[in-house]
PDB file of all heavy atoms in Angstrom:
ATOM      1  N   GLY T   1      60.144 -46.466 284.185  1.00 84.00           N
ATOM      2  CA  GLY T   1      59.007 -46.492 285.091  1.00 84.00           C
ATOM      3  C   GLY T   1      59.267 -45.808 286.416  1.00 84.00           C
ATOM      4  O   GLY T   1      58.606 -46.079 287.404  1.00 84.00           O
ATOM      5  N   THR T   2      60.232 -44.890 286.436  1.00 87.00           N
ATOM      6  CA  THR T   2      60.618 -44.252 287.694  1.00 87.00           C
ATOM      7  C   THR T   2      60.273 -42.768 287.755  1.00 87.00           C
ATOM      8  O   THR T   2      60.398 -42.169 288.818  1.00 87.00           O
ATOM      9  CB  THR T   2      62.135 -44.404 287.912  1.00 87.00           C
ATOM     10  OG1 THR T   2      62.822 -43.810 286.812  1.00 87.00           O
ATOM     11  CG2 THR T   2      62.524 -45.858 288.069  1.00 87.00           C
ATOM     12  N   GLU T   3      59.859 -42.184 286.632  1.00 88.00           N
ATOM     13  CA  GLU T   3      59.623 -40.747 286.610  1.00 88.00           C
ATOM     14  C   GLU T   3      58.365 -40.434 285.806  1.00 88.00           C
ATOM     15  O   GLU T   3      58.116 -41.035 284.754  1.00 88.00           O
ATOM     16  CB  GLU T   3      60.819 -40.033 285.981  1.00 88.00           C
ATOM     17  CG  GLU T   3      60.729 -38.546 286.012  1.00 88.00           C
ATOM     18  CD  GLU T   3      61.989 -37.874 285.469  1.00 88.00           C
ATOM     19  OE1 GLU T   3      62.995 -38.550 285.230  1.00 88.00           O
ATOM     20  OE2 GLU T   3      61.930 -36.660 285.288  1.00 88.00           O
ATOM     21  N   LEU T   4      57.572 -39.484 286.312  1.00 93.00           N
ATOM     22  CA  LEU T   4      56.420 -38.973 285.579  1.00 93.00           C
ATOM     23  C   LEU T   4      56.794 -37.638 284.967  1.00 93.00           C
ATOM     24  O   LEU T   4      57.389 -36.782 285.635  1.00 93.00           O
ATOM     25  CB  LEU T   4      55.229 -38.770 286.508  1.00 93.00           C
ATOM     26  CG  LEU T   4      54.535 -40.010 287.034  1.00 93.00           C
ATOM     27  CD1 LEU T   4      53.431 -39.609 288.019  1.00 93.00           C
ATOM     28  CD2 LEU T   4      53.944 -40.824 285.901  1.00 93.00           C
ATOM     29  N   ILE T   5      56.434 -37.451 283.722  1.00 94.00           N
ATOM     30  CA  ILE T   5      56.710 -36.211 283.016  1.00 94.00           C
ATOM     31  C   ILE T   5      55.366 -35.661 282.564  1.00 94.00           C
ATOM     32  O   ILE T   5      54.609 -36.344 281.863  1.00 94.00           O
ATOM     33  CB  ILE T   5      57.622 -36.472 281.797  1.00 94.00           C
ATOM     34  CG1 ILE T   5      58.928 -37.112 282.257  1.00 94.00           C
ATOM     35  CG2 ILE T   5      57.858 -35.176 281.023  1.00 94.00           C
ATOM     36  CD1 ILE T   5      59.672 -37.838 281.178  1.00 94.00           C
ATOM     37  N   THR T   6      55.046 -34.434 282.970  1.00 96.00           N
ATOM     38  CA  THR T   6      53.787 -33.810 282.594  1.00 96.00           C
ATOM     39  C   THR T   6      54.081 -32.733 281.559  1.00 96.00           C
ATOM     40  O   THR T   6      54.894 -31.835 281.796  1.00 96.00           O
ATOM     41  CB  THR T   6      53.088 -33.185 283.816  1.00 96.00           C
ATOM     42  OG1 THR T   6      52.887 -34.202 284.790  1.00 96.00           O
ATOM     43  CG2 THR T   6      51.748 -32.597 283.425  1.00 96.00           C
ATOM     44  N   LEU T   7      53.418 -32.823 280.415  1.00 97.00           N
ATOM     45  CA  LEU T   7      53.627 -31.878 279.324  1.00 97.00           C
ATOM     46  C   LEU T   7      52.610 -30.739 279.384  1.00 97.00           C
ATOM     47  O   LEU T   7      51.499 -30.912 279.866  1.00 97.00           O
ATOM     48  CB  LEU T   7      53.489 -32.583 277.982  1.00 97.00           C
ATOM     49  CG  LEU T   7      54.430 -33.758 277.709  1.00 97.00           C
ATOM     50  CD1 LEU T   7      54.185 -34.320 276.318  1.00 97.00           C
ATOM     51  CD2 LEU T   7      55.885 -33.355 277.883  1.00 97.00           C
ATOM     52  N   SER T   8      53.004 -29.611 278.831  1.00 96.00           N
ATOM     53  CA  SER T   8      52.081 -28.496 278.680  1.00 96.00           C
ATOM     54  C   SER T   8      51.042 -28.869 277.614  1.00 96.00           C
ATOM     55  O   SER T   8      51.248 -29.818 276.839  1.00 96.00           O
ATOM     56  CB  SER T   8      52.840 -27.246 278.233  1.00 96.00           C
ATOM     57  OG  SER T   8      53.246 -27.392 276.881  1.00 96.00           O
ATOM     58  N   PRO T   9      49.948 -28.134 277.533  1.00 96.00           N
ATOM     59  CA  PRO T   9      48.958 -28.429 276.493  1.00 96.00           C
ATOM     60  C   PRO T   9      49.529 -28.372 275.072  1.00 96.00           C
ATOM     61  O   PRO T   9      49.197 -29.205 274.236  1.00 96.00           O
ATOM     62  CB  PRO T   9      47.880 -27.373 276.710  1.00 96.00           C
ATOM     63  CG  PRO T   9      47.946 -27.083 278.185  1.00 96.00           C
ATOM     64  CD  PRO T   9      49.431 -27.138 278.491  1.00 96.00           C
ATOM     65  N   VAL T  10      50.413 -27.409 274.802  1.00 96.00           N
ATOM     66  CA  VAL T  10      50.997 -27.320 273.451  1.00 96.00           C
ATOM     67  C   VAL T  10      51.962 -28.476 273.202  1.00 96.00           C
ATOM     68  O   VAL T  10      51.960 -29.087 272.137  1.00 96.00           O
ATOM     69  CB  VAL T  10      51.676 -25.953 273.217  1.00 96.00           C
ATOM     70  CG1 VAL T  10      52.368 -25.913 271.860  1.00 96.00           C
ATOM     71  CG2 VAL T  10      50.644 -24.827 273.325  1.00 96.00           C
ATOM     72  N   ALA T  11      52.775 -28.803 274.189  1.00 97.00           N
ATOM     73  CA  ALA T  11      53.672 -29.949 274.045  1.00 97.00           C
ATOM     74  C   ALA T  11      52.872 -31.232 273.849  1.00 97.00           C
ATOM     75  O   ALA T  11      53.294 -32.134 273.120  1.00 97.00           O
ATOM     76  CB  ALA T  11      54.596 -30.064 275.247  1.00 97.00           C
ATOM     77  N   THR T  12      51.704 -31.306 274.478  1.00 97.00           N
ATOM     78  CA  THR T  12      50.839 -32.464 274.291  1.00 97.00           C
ATOM     79  C   THR T  12      50.359 -32.564 272.849  1.00 97.00           C
ATOM     80  O   THR T  12      50.248 -33.671 272.304  1.00 97.00           O
ATOM     81  CB  THR T  12      49.647 -32.410 275.274  1.00 97.00           C
ATOM     82  OG1 THR T  12      50.176 -32.460 276.613  1.00 97.00           O
ATOM     83  CG2 THR T  12      48.690 -33.564 275.076  1.00 97.00           C
ATOM     84  N   LEU T  13      50.088 -31.427 272.203  1.00 97.00           N
ATOM     85  CA  LEU T  13      49.721 -31.451 270.780  1.00 97.00           C
ATOM     86  C   LEU T  13      50.842 -32.052 269.943  1.00 97.00           C
ATOM     87  O   LEU T  13      50.595 -32.853 269.033  1.00 97.00           O
ATOM     88  CB  LEU T  13      49.393 -30.039 270.288  1.00 97.00           C
ATOM     89  CG  LEU T  13      48.152 -29.378 270.869  1.00 97.00           C
ATOM     90  CD1 LEU T  13      48.067 -27.919 270.401  1.00 97.00           C
ATOM     91  CD2 LEU T  13      46.903 -30.145 270.472  1.00 97.00           C
ATOM     92  N   VAL T  14      52.072 -31.672 270.244  1.00 97.00           N
ATOM     93  CA  VAL T  14      53.217 -32.237 269.521  1.00 97.00           C
ATOM     94  C   VAL T  14      53.327 -33.725 269.835  1.00 97.00           C
ATOM     95  O   VAL T  14      53.494 -34.545 268.922  1.00 97.00           O
ATOM     96  CB  VAL T  14      54.527 -31.501 269.879  1.00 97.00           C
ATOM     97  CG1 VAL T  14      55.718 -32.165 269.198  1.00 97.00           C
ATOM     98  CG2 VAL T  14      54.435 -30.024 269.506  1.00 97.00           C
ATOM     99  N   TRP T  15      53.213 -34.098 271.087  1.00 97.00           N
ATOM    100  CA  TRP T  15      53.290 -35.502 271.497  1.00 97.00           C
ATOM    101  C   TRP T  15      52.258 -36.334 270.745  1.00 97.00           C
ATOM    102  O   TRP T  15      52.557 -37.407 270.236  1.00 97.00           O
ATOM    103  CB  TRP T  15      53.106 -35.587 273.008  1.00 97.00           C
ATOM    104  CG  TRP T  15      53.146 -36.952 273.568  1.00 97.00           C
ATOM    105  CD1 TRP T  15      52.084 -37.705 273.975  1.00 97.00           C
ATOM    106  CD2 TRP T  15      54.300 -37.772 273.785  1.00 97.00           C
ATOM    107  NE1 TRP T  15      52.506 -38.933 274.434  1.00 97.00           N
ATOM    108  CE2 TRP T  15      53.862 -38.985 274.326  1.00 97.00           C
ATOM    109  CE3 TRP T  15      55.662 -37.594 273.577  1.00 97.00           C
ATOM    110  CZ2 TRP T  15      54.747 -40.022 274.656  1.00 97.00           C
ATOM    111  CZ3 TRP T  15      56.531 -38.616 273.909  1.00 97.00           C
ATOM    112  CH2 TRP T  15      56.073 -39.809 274.439  1.00 97.00           C
ATOM    113  N   ASP T  16      51.027 -35.827 270.672  1.00 95.00           N
ATOM    114  CA  ASP T  16      49.963 -36.536 269.957  1.00 95.00           C
ATOM    115  C   ASP T  16      50.280 -36.692 268.476  1.00 95.00           C
ATOM    116  O   ASP T  16      49.879 -37.681 267.849  1.00 95.00           O
ATOM    117  CB  ASP T  16      48.622 -35.825 270.121  1.00 95.00           C
ATOM    118  CG  ASP T  16      48.008 -36.024 271.492  1.00 95.00           C
ATOM    119  OD1 ASP T  16      48.387 -36.984 272.193  1.00 95.00           O
ATOM    120  OD2 ASP T  16      47.136 -35.216 271.861  1.00 95.00           O
ATOM    121  N   ALA T  17      50.988 -35.731 267.914  1.00 96.00           N
ATOM    122  CA  ALA T  17      51.326 -35.772 266.486  1.00 96.00           C
ATOM    123  C   ALA T  17      52.438 -36.790 266.176  1.00 96.00           C
ATOM    124  O   ALA T  17      52.651 -37.131 265.015  1.00 96.00           O
ATOM    125  CB  ALA T  17      51.753 -34.386 266.011  1.00 96.00           C
ATOM    126  N   LEU T  18      53.106 -37.286 267.191  1.00 96.00           N
ATOM    127  CA  LEU T  18      54.205 -38.239 266.988  1.00 96.00           C
ATOM    128  C   LEU T  18      53.644 -39.652 266.807  1.00 96.00           C
ATOM    129  O   LEU T  18      53.881 -40.549 267.597  1.00 96.00           O
ATOM    130  CB  LEU T  18      55.175 -38.188 268.174  1.00 96.00           C
ATOM    131  CG  LEU T  18      55.861 -36.848 268.414  1.00 96.00           C
ATOM    132  CD1 LEU T  18      56.674 -36.889 269.688  1.00 96.00           C
ATOM    133  CD2 LEU T  18      56.713 -36.453 267.221  1.00 96.00           C
ATOM    134  N   ASP T  19      52.930 -39.837 265.712  1.00 93.00           N
ATOM    135  CA  ASP T  19      52.254 -41.106 265.445  1.00 93.00           C
ATOM    136  C   ASP T  19      52.882 -41.895 264.302  1.00 93.00           C
ATOM    137  O   ASP T  19      52.332 -42.885 263.839  1.00 93.00           O
ATOM    138  CB  ASP T  19      50.779 -40.867 265.164  1.00 93.00           C
ATOM    139  CG  ASP T  19      50.546 -39.969 263.965  1.00 93.00           C
ATOM    140  OD1 ASP T  19      51.523 -39.583 263.286  1.00 93.00           O
ATOM    141  OD2 ASP T  19      49.374 -39.643 263.696  1.00 93.00           O
ATOM    142  N   GLY T  20      54.038 -41.421 263.830  1.00 93.00           N
ATOM    143  CA  GLY T  20      54.731 -42.114 262.758  1.00 93.00           C
ATOM    144  C   GLY T  20      54.325 -41.674 261.363  1.00 93.00           C
ATOM    145  O   GLY T  20      54.889 -42.146 260.378  1.00 93.00           O
ATOM    146  N   THR T  21      53.356 -40.754 261.252  1.00 94.00           N
ATOM    147  CA  THR T  21      52.908 -40.315 259.925  1.00 94.00           C
ATOM    148  C   THR T  21      53.380 -38.908 259.579  1.00 94.00           C
ATOM    149  O   THR T  21      53.271 -38.506 258.428  1.00 94.00           O
ATOM    150  CB  THR T  21      51.366 -40.350 259.831  1.00 94.00           C
ATOM    151  OG1 THR T  21      50.804 -39.396 260.734  1.00 94.00           O
ATOM    152  CG2 THR T  21      50.833 -41.735 260.138  1.00 94.00           C
ATOM    153  N   ARG T  22      53.888 -38.172 260.549  1.00 95.00           N
ATOM    154  CA  ARG T  22      54.278 -36.780 260.317  1.00 95.00           C
ATOM    155  C   ARG T  22      55.769 -36.595 260.573  1.00 95.00           C
ATOM    156  O   ARG T  22      56.319 -37.192 261.477  1.00 95.00           O
ATOM    157  CB  ARG T  22      53.511 -35.850 261.247  1.00 95.00           C
ATOM    158  CG  ARG T  22      52.008 -35.868 261.080  1.00 95.00           C
ATOM    159  CD  ARG T  22      51.374 -35.057 262.217  1.00 95.00           C
ATOM    160  NE  ARG T  22      49.953 -35.127 262.216  1.00 95.00           N
ATOM    161  CZ  ARG T  22      49.238 -36.003 262.918  1.00 95.00           C
ATOM    162  NH1 ARG T  22      49.814 -36.896 263.685  1.00 95.00           N
ATOM    163  NH2 ARG T  22      47.926 -35.985 262.860  1.00 95.00           N
ATOM    164  N   ASP T  23      56.352 -35.705 259.798  1.00 95.00           N
ATOM    165  CA  ASP T  23      57.722 -35.302 260.070  1.00 95.00           C
ATOM    166  C   ASP T  23      57.697 -33.962 260.814  1.00 95.00           C
ATOM    167  O   ASP T  23      56.623 -33.418 261.098  1.00 95.00           O
ATOM    168  CB  ASP T  23      58.558 -35.234 258.788  1.00 95.00           C
ATOM    169  CG  ASP T  23      58.068 -34.173 257.807  1.00 95.00           C
ATOM    170  OD1 ASP T  23      57.159 -33.390 258.153  1.00 95.00           O
ATOM    171  OD2 ASP T  23      58.595 -34.141 256.691  1.00 95.00           O
ATOM    172  N   GLU T  24      58.847 -33.468 261.134  1.00 96.00           N
ATOM    173  CA  GLU T  24      58.946 -32.235 261.907  1.00 96.00           C
ATOM    174  C   GLU T  24      58.242 -31.071 261.215  1.00 96.00           C
ATOM    175  O   GLU T  24      57.505 -30.310 261.844  1.00 96.00           O
ATOM    176  CB  GLU T  24      60.422 -31.892 262.145  1.00 96.00           C
ATOM    177  CG  GLU T  24      60.645 -30.674 263.003  1.00 96.00           C
ATOM    178  CD  GLU T  24      62.110 -30.420 263.272  1.00 96.00           C
ATOM    179  OE1 GLU T  24      62.871 -31.394 263.464  1.00 96.00           O
ATOM    180  OE2 GLU T  24      62.493 -29.243 263.284  1.00 96.00           O
ATOM    181  N   SER T  25      58.433 -30.926 259.918  1.00 96.00           N
ATOM    182  CA  SER T  25      57.828 -29.799 259.204  1.00 96.00           C
ATOM    183  C   SER T  25      56.298 -29.904 259.195  1.00 96.00           C
ATOM    184  O   SER T  25      55.616 -28.877 259.265  1.00 96.00           O
ATOM    185  CB  SER T  25      58.374 -29.683 257.784  1.00 96.00           C
ATOM    186  OG  SER T  25      58.042 -30.829 257.023  1.00 96.00           O
TER     187      SER T  25
END
């Protein structure tokens, strides 16, 4: 809770995909 990290729009797409249903490929 000490640092804010702002992602780029493309990194945000990857972040959103990290929902437990997808692997890297």
Side-chain angles (χ1 to χ4, degrees):
T2 58
E3 185 176 350
L4 289 176
I5 302 160
T6 303
L7 301 181
S8 72
V10 175
T12 297
L13 293 173
V14 176
W15 179 257
D16 285 340
L18 299 174
D19 60 4
T21 65
R22 299 171 186 94
D23 64 6
E24 183 177 322
S25 63

